[in-house]
Amino acid sequence: PSGTAPSRCLQLRDHLRRTAALVGAIFVDPLAEGWFAGGNRRFIGADGIHPTDAGHRAMADRILAALARAD
């Protein structure tokens, strides 16, 4: 909710960013963009971890937009 991801999430994100760069893949950073922070917290389900159906739709929209920009 605070927008500050746990360090293990940041480490994984950084690893994925480096790996994507090595293979020429597009990397989308939901942590930096605050996809689930603040008011976007509503996209996380009652378990506090997994996205809701609306959260999955929001992720898909953002990923598709990132792919369109990269084209």
Side-chain angles (χ1 to χ4, degrees):
S2 69
T4 303
S7 63
R8 70 183 188 279
C9 292
L10 297 173
Q11 291 169 353
L12 176 59
R13 185 259 330 256
D14 294 344
H15 172 75
L16 293 172
R17 182 193 322 263
R18 287 189 301 271
T19 302
L22 287 173
V23 299
I26 297 167
F27 178 78
V28 179
D29 189 346
L31 296 176
E33 295 180 18
W35 287 12
F36 299 105
N40 290 333
R41 185 77 181 143
R42 70 186 185 281
F43 292 133
I44 296 296
D47 66 0
I49 297 171
H50 297 96
T52 61
D53 289 345
H56 280 100
R57 279 190 299 277
M59 284 191 306
D61 290 344
R62 290 175 175 182
I63 291 168
L64 288 172
L67 292 172
R69 287 190 304 272
D71 189 18

